[in-house]
């Protein structure tokens, strides 16, 4: 780096390390990494540091090159957006790890390469960690872990799951067993750990390639990636093209845990140094002066953007005499790109041919397994004068090419099962783009590439039949992207149909990064698409933007499409476009607009006679009505949708409706019916998940609803278990709304337990996740932060949160949450002495609640008024309010009535003893006058029982004076 970096603990001075063979590694960044990874947790003597969290994460990423695209790359393909190229991160990583092993041979280092799709599996990753810990801290062994591992292996429960063994969602049972065993082993290890310094280094290269999410690697329940494995002072070195996305659930709020380190492209000085080291004699012989060499280096930096792959290709031209320093200064970007293309497409050696085949095999950003490249090469005519390559020959040749990335299945830090052989190959975007341009020159009509695609599809089909069940998620995605790429090459129409078969489930299943890569693969063919196909591509882009939580951008894209597309095409797509507008409006909490669009879609579906689509839309309308608090209308829509799908529609949608109906039953207080409906829905969803027809998010929704039912039933243990299961499901797919909603619910559990600090942390986490994105979850977060403040007696703070909740609820027409917040706001305003405002808030709440039939909230509001009256010693008025509360609860649910009655009795017995009998008579008579004593005799019976148990008045007075028992 050319400028000193500002670190959290202040400015820092760097000492340059010993020079490395490649100047493309900025020395100060390397010095910083070595210092971060090799120093202990103690403060530096010259510059004290803040205490580090564990894990302490160092995130190495490329400098954003959007504003400075390589001129050669842009010239080579003006239609393609300038890529953010590699800056030598993997090279830097190898250098850092080599030094660390020299300086700290006892430090366990566990490395994962995101290019190796086969290695992305939680249980084998944990085993790799265990192997390194055992090697570093011998004679300690993780005996319990190995015992459980052997048991799970014998049961056929380790991936790939044995035939006949039912797969479990998230396999929490196997995870829990392995983690419990490892936690005990780690507890035995802790006394053996060094007193200071890191105890484990976790290294992940090509982090962006981990699918479906890095969280899928986590073993310990409740941990976030990268996990600590129960160890203190863990360091994680994460290497990615991009910096952390602080809006993503996995990284949001973790700025204090992560040190980001930017690795810029090569500078002109580094290019000059590389030229001097690699070709000093040739350049000297050519008579290059220092000034000319400096000018050439600066020109190379301008043309290549400093990306090592392009720099080194250009330097090879200079060193081999294919390009002189004078020519370099005169070349325009397009001409320079042509020179690079000529070098790549020369086909003067087998390596060039292998690279071209690899470039055609590899879709955008997707690594290819080495065996597949070998299999395809063996089906093709060999390079003239050469036999088909062997594995070692192929990999050695490709490893020498700038811009070729080879994953390491293992190295000396990878554990005892590693063979050290690279297994996955990928091209950096700059080289990949040049090779694709070379193909256009060598195969202008695409005839040979189609033949090559046929060979690839033949290899893929045979491989998928043999290993379909054994593929990890990442490997499965890679194979599907390859197949799509080659089907698009062979037959564009068939390729688009194949894309739709993959894209639909990916968007429904929340595989966002997979869906994005699918779309980018199709986008490469955009110049070949017809106008209607390009318009359809915009609709798919809008769908994906919604999934990526950017509904406003999706809506803008659709509005532009309405202006640009042919009217006849728009008319043919009216229903699809209305549906997309409905989904965008729903994500932005525009409920009335959502209903309008859905009803348009419903009318069009009925006109077409499409019963399945019409019934699905009814279910989606039911969700909007539930959000508006219109439960009867929501149930009507849900039931109509359920009837069709139970008989001849989608089992997955029927499960959605069962869960949704259970949610409304819960809100209505019909807990037993809610429980039955949700349990059936969960069972169906788990079955569909085990068949690969549903993702984890749907299972998480069922657990979340079941947790709420348990919470209503005061079963905190069961509620927490369901919530944590839901949290794991949402974390795996990166569902921000689901994570935030579950954070609110876990906060509710903590609040019920009296753990106010923990509860508030959960509520604030939920607020941070959804601010400006999901109003329903945001309102809930504000409501419960108000409850925490009220429990602490901070009424001004509580009022502020509840007023915020009311404001947002009014904005999105969420009448139920508005009434709930108003009822509690009455309490805060009364404590603050703002009685007129409190009265106005209660009037508004009561009017809405009576209109909508919110009996539960009416009961709670009356109870709040009773508490306020009792605090002011207005006993008769207070107990009249409590009786009103019990009366409303009888309309809602017997369980809530029973709870309200119990609270009334507790308050009755908290009165001075001389006031209990008259108040009990008052309650009993008031209950009788409401006509409820016969149908609900429990309250009257409780009052009579209390009167019988009380001693005669003279006796309590006497005992009170004498200090009796």
């Amino acid at each position: 780096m050319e400028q000193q970096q500002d670190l959290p603990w202040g400015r820092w001075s760097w000492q340059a390390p010993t020079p490395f063979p490649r100047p493309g590694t900025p020395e100060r960044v390397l010095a910083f990494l070595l210092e971060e990874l090799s120093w202990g947790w103690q403060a530096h003597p010259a510059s004290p540091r803040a205490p580090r969290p564990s894990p302490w994460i160092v995130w190495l990423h490329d400098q954003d090159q959007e504003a400075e695209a390589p001129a050669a790359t842009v010239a080579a393909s003006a239609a393609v957006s300038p890529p953010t190229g590699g800056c030598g991160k993997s090279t830097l990583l190898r250098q850092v790890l080599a030094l660390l092993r020299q300086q700290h041979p006892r430090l366990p280092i566990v490395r994962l390469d995101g290019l190796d799709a086969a290695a992305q599996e939680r249980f084998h990753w944990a085993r790799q960690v265990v192997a390194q810990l055992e090697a570093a801290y011998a004679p300690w062994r993780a005996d319990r872990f190995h015992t459980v591992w052997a048991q799970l292996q014998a049961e056929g429960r380790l991936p790939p799951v044995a035939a006949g063994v039912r797969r479990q969602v998230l396999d929490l049972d196997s995870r829990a067993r392995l983690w419990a065993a490892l936690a005990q082993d780690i507890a035995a290890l802790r006394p053996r750990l060094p007193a200071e310094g890191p105890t484990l280094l976790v290294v992940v290269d090509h982090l962006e390639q981990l699918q479906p999410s890095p969280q899928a690697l986590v073993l310990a329940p409740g941990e976030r990636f990268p996990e600590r494995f129960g160890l203190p002072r863990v360091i994680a070195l994460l290497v990615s093209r991009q910096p952390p996305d602080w809006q993503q659930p996995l990284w949001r709020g973790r700025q204090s845990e992560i040190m980001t380190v930017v690795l810029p492209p090569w500078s002109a000085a580094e290019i000059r140094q590389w030229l001097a080291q690699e070709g000093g004699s040739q350049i000297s012989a050519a008579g290059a002066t220092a000034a000319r060499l400096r000018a050439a280096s600066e020109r190379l930096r301008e043309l290549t953007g400093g990306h090592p792959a392009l720099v080194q290709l250009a330097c090879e031209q200079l060193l081999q005499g294919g390009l002189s320093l004078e020519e370099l200064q005169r070349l325009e970007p397009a001409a320079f790109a042509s020179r690079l293309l000529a070098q790549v497409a020369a086909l003067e050696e087998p390596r060039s041919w292998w690279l071209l085949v690899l470039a055609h095999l590899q879709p955008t950003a997707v690594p290819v397994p080495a065996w597949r490249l070998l299999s395809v090469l063996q089906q093709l005519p060999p390079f003239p004068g050469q036999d088909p390559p062997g594995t070692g020959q192929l990999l050695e040749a490709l490893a020498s090419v700038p811009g070729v990335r080879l994953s390491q299945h293992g190295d000396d830090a990878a554990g005892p099962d590693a063979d050290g052989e690279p297994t996955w190959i990928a091209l950096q975007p700059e080289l990949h783009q040049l090779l694709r341009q070379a193909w256009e020159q060598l195969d202008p009509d695409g005839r040979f590439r189609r033949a090559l695609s046929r060979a690839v599809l033949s290899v893929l089909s045979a491989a998928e039949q043999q290993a379909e069940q054994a593929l990890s998620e990442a490997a499965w995605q890679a194979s599907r992207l390859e197949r799509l790429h080659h089907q698009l090459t062979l037959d564009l129409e068939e390729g688009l149909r194949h894309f739709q078969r993959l894209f639909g489930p990916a968007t429904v299943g929340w595989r966002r990064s997979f869906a994005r890569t699918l779309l980018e693969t199709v986008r490469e063919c955009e110049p070949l698409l017809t106008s209607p196909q390009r318009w359809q591509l915009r609709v798919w882009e809008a769908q994906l933007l919604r999934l990526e939580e950017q509904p406003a951008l999706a809506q803008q894209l659709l509005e532009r499409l309405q202006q640009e597309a042919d009217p006849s095409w728009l008319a043919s797509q009216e229903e699809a476009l209305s549906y997309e507008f409905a989904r965008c409006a729903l994500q932005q909490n525009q409920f009335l607009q959502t209903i309008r669009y859905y009803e348009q879609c419903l009318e069009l579906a009925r006109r077409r006679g499409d019963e399945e689509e019409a019934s699905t839309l009814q279910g989606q309308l039911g969700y909007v009505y539930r959000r508006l608090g219109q439960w009867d209308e929501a149930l009507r829509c849900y039931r109509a949708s359920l009837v069709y799908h139970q008989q001849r529609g989608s089992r997955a949608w029927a499960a959605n409706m069962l869960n949704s109906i259970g949610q409304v039953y819960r809100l209505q207080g019909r807990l037993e019916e809610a429980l039955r409906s949700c349990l059936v829905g969960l069972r169906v969803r788990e079955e569909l998940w085990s068949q690969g027809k549903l993702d984890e998010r749907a299972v998480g929704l069922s657990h979340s609803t079941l947790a709420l039912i348990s919470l209503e039933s005061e079963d905190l243990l069961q509620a927490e278990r369901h919530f944590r299961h839901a949290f794991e499901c949402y974390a795996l797919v990166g569902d921000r709304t689901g994570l935030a909603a579950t954070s609110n619910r876990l906060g509710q559990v903590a609040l019920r337990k009296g753990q106010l600090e923990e509860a508030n942390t959960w509520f604030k986490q939920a607020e941070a996740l959804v601010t400006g994105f999901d109003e329903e979850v945001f309102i809930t977060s504000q409501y419960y932060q108000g409850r925490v403040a009220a429990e602490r007696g901070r009424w001004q703070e509580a009022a502020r949160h509840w007023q915020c909740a009311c404001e947002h609820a009014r904005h999105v027409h969420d009448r139920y949450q508005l009434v709930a917040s108003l009822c509690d706001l009455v309490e805060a305003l009364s404590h603050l002495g703002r009685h007129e405002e409190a009265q106005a808030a209660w009037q508004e709440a009561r009017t809405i609640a009576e209109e909508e039939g919110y009996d539960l909230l009416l009961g709670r509001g009356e109870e709040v008024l009773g508490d306020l009256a009792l605090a002011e010693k207005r006993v008769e008025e207070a107990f009249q309010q409590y009786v009103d509360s019990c009366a409303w609860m009888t309309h809602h649910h017997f369980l809530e009535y029973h709870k309200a009655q119990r609270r009334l009795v507790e308050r009755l017995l908290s009165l001075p003893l001389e006031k209990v009998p008259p108040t009990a008579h008052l309650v009993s008579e008031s209950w009788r006058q409401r006509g409820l004593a016969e149908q609900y005799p429990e309250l009257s019976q409780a009052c009579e029982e209390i009167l019988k148990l009380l001693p005669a008045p003279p006796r309590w007075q006497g005992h009170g004076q004498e200090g009796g028992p």
Side-chain angles (χ1 to χ4, degrees), residues 349-426:
E349 56 172 341
R351 185 179 67 168
S352 298
W353 169 234
W354 299 340
L355 282 170
L356 283 164
V357 174
L358 175 60
H360 186 65
L361 256 65
Q362 181 193 344
T364 304
V366 179
V368 174
W371 67 263
R372 190 169 296 152
L373 176 58
L374 278 169
S375 299
V376 173
L377 288 173
Q378 288 166 1
Q379 292 191 28
L380 301 174
F383 192 84
Q386 294 280 335
D387 294 327
T391 304
Q393 179 190 3
L394 177 70
L395 295 175
E396 183 179 355
L398 294 179
S400 65
V401 179
V404 175
R405 301 182 291 177
L406 303 178
S407 76
Q408 293 292 327
H409 181 68
D411 56 13
D412 56 348
D417 296 328
D419 54 16
E421 183 179 287
T423 55
W424 291 76
I425 312 171

Side-chain angles (χ1 to χ4, degrees), residues 520-778:
E520 294 303 323
T521 302
V522 171
R523 214 180 236 155
E524 290 182 359
C525 305
E526 189 166 355
L528 305 175
L529 299 179
T530 65
S531 292
Q533 287 170 339
R534 282 198 296 274
W535 297 329
Q536 181 60 53
L537 188 61
R538 300 294 174 269
V539 177
W540 290 330
E541 171 73 14
Q543 291 175 356
L544 186 52
L545 285 169
R546 280 198 296 103
L547 187 65
E548 292 171 340
E549 301 172 351
Q550 301 183 74
L553 285 178
Q555 185 172 318
Q556 291 169 15
L557 182 61
L558 292 169
E559 288 168 351
R560 286 201 305 272
L561 180 62
Q562 285 183 319
Q563 296 170 0
E564 297 169 4
D566 184 84
S568 62
W569 182 86
L570 290 171
S572 69
Q573 300 296 315
E574 182 183 2
E575 186 177 339
L577 292 172
S578 293
Y579 182 80
E580 287 304 316
F581 276 117
R583 301 296 292 177
C584 291
L586 179 60
Q587 276 188 263
Q588 297 174 83
N589 299 292
Q590 299 165 354
F591 298 128
L592 301 180
Q593 193 172 347
T594 303
I595 291 173
R596 180 168 61 83
Y597 280 122
Y598 272 152
E599 286 178 342
Q600 287 177 11
C601 295
L602 185 59
E603 178 61 29
L604 290 167
R606 284 172 172 161
R607 272 191 226 160
R608 288 189 294 107
D610 190 337
E611 289 184 70
E612 181 168 358
E613 181 65 19
S615 68
T616 302
L617 286 164
Q618 281 182 301
Q620 291 175 315
L621 274 167
Y623 174 76
V624 185
Y625 285 123
R626 180 179 74 74
R627 289 287 302 273
L628 289 170
Q630 299 177 29
W631 297 331
D632 290 338
E633 186 64 18
L635 276 178
R636 184 190 65 79
C637 292
Y638 285 151
R639 285 169 177 157
S641 184
L642 177 64
V643 167
Y644 177 88
H645 285 281
Q646 279 181 323
Q647 294 173 355
R648 55 190 185 279
S650 162
R651 290 179 66 206
W653 190 258
N656 290 350
M657 294 300 96
L658 286 167
N659 193 69
S660 297
I661 289 169
Q663 184 77 285
V664 177
Y665 283 161
R666 178 190 69 81
L667 291 167
Q668 292 179 328
R670 300 157 65 179
L671 298 186
E672 290 303 318
E673 293 170 271
L675 184 63
R676 284 193 296 273
S677 186
C678 291
L679 283 173
V680 174
L682 173 62
R683 185 66 191 87
V684 174
R685 281 172 164 171
E686 287 182 333
E687 186 66 31
L688 290 171
W689 179 91
S690 70
Q691 297 168 6
K693 298 177 181 177
L694 210 59
D695 74 321
E696 292 82 359
R697 177 177 178 270
V699 179
L701 286 169
S702 282
H703 279 287
S704 185
T705 309
L706 285 165
L708 290 171
I709 295 168
S710 299
L711 202 60
E712 296 283 352
S713 304
E714 301 294 333
D715 188 346
L716 297 186
L717 188 62
Q718 185 76 339
E720 188 166 13
R721 188 180 73 81
H722 280 302
F723 280 139
R724 292 202 179 276
H725 200 141
F727 194 89
E728 291 280 343
C729 289
Y730 296 141
L732 190 60
V733 297
D735 179 0
R736 177 160 52 160
T737 295
L739 286 169
T742 310
S743 296
N744 273 335
R745 303 312 183 189
L746 287 166
Q748 283 180 258
V749 174
L751 186 58
R752 296 277 184 95
K753 292 178 177 178
Q755 300 165 346
L756 300 184
E757 194 60 43
E758 181 181 344
N760 214 38
T761 299
W762 281 115
F763 298 140
K764 286 183 178 297
Q765 178 174 307
E767 177 187 358
L769 281 168
V770 296
T771 297
F773 171 67
D774 189 300
E775 286 290 280
E776 181 183 28
V777 180
F778 177 84

